[in-house]
Amino acid sequence: MNHWLMKSEPDVFSIDQLAKDKTTWWEGVRNYQARNYMMNDMKVGDLVLFYHSNAEPSGVAGIAKVSKVAEPDKLQFDKKSEYFDEKATKDKPRWFCVEVQFVSKFKHIVSLQDLRENPKLADMMVLAKGSRLSVQPVEKKHFDIVSKLGG
DNA sequence: GCCAACGTTGGC
DNA sequence: GCCAACGTTGGC
């Protein structure tokens, strides 16, 4: 089983919204590297750190898990969506997304500062300079430390 | 709202 | 296939 970190702006979609909805298709990713992780590597049951970006504070807000493997992102075909992609066709979809399911919300958000201050987490991808990838792998040892911090 | 870092696009 | 210009991300 693999572990992941997925970023979402809470103003757009928060851990509370996921708790309410139970599951969601992770639509709107328009970065090939992030897509490839979802399309090729994410399996049902994989655990996900749900990360709030552009937030007060930014950080890991809870845990989700992959509930369905990748399927074509419907928004790429929706002309009214900001995620519409005129180069995508139903025969040859360009963008894929997995479905994730709510697992738990942390008692306390594990802020970016918390992550930075923990030497054991120093080589997490999310802490790398200029790291913008919205779907990224996480080592199990890091996942375990972060979930312990979250309570 | 600024801007550094990074990704994508498109002319050549 | 290079790379300048442009767009986006996301912390601050």
Side-chain angles (χ1 to χ4, degrees), chain A residues 45-57:
Chain A
D46 283 2
L47 292 171
V48 175
L49 296 175
F50 192 114
Y51 182 92
H52 282 174
S53 59
N54 273 318
E56 279 303 326

Side-chain angles (χ1 to χ4, degrees), chain A residues 64-76:
Chain A
K65 69 178 176 186
V66 178
S67 47
K68 283 181 183 155
V69 296
E71 291 185 13
D73 180 335
K74 291 196 305 279
L75 298 181
Q76 70 193 305

Side-chain angles (χ1 to χ4, degrees), chain A residues 42-103:
Chain A
M42 292 181 96
K43 305 294 181 217
V44 171
D46 283 2
L47 292 171
V48 175
L49 296 175
F50 192 114
Y51 182 92
H52 282 174
S53 59
N54 273 318
E56 279 303 326
S58 292
V60 181
I63 294 174
K65 69 178 176 186
V66 178
S67 47
K68 283 181 183 155
V69 296
E71 291 185 13
D73 180 335
K74 291 196 305 279
L75 298 181
Q76 70 193 305
F77 307 124
D78 180 356
K79 283 191 179 166
K80 282 172 284 186
S81 169
E82 61 174 313
Y83 296 112
F84 175 70
D85 186 336
E86 60 179 6
K87 290 180 183 157
T89 66
K90 303 243 172 172
D91 286 343
K92 273 201 164 182
R94 180 182 284 204
W95 304 108
F96 285 76
C97 56
V98 296
E99 186 196 67
V100 301
Q101 180 179 351
F102 178 75
V103 173

Side-chain angles (χ1 to χ4, degrees), chain A residues 122-137:
Chain A
D123 52 348
M124 278 186 83
M125 194 182 283
V126 73
L127 300 181
K129 190 181 176 189
S131 166
R132 305 189 322 193
L133 199 57
S134 64
V135 176
Q136 56 181 258

Side-chain angles (χ1 to χ4, degrees), chain A residues 3 5 8 13 16 20 28 30 37 49 55 63 69 71 73 80-81 90 93 112-113 120 128 131 133 139-140 145 151:
Chain A
H3 297 78
L5 181 146
S8 180
F13 191 86
D16 290 324
K20 209 159 112 190
R30 294 293 178 267
Y37 281 131
L49 296 175
I63 294 174
V69 296
E71 291 185 13
D73 180 335
K80 282 172 284 186
S81 169
K90 303 243 172 172
L112 186 59
Q113 193 181 345
K120 288 178 183 162
S131 166
L133 199 57
E139 291 177 44
K140 182 178 188 320
I145 294 167

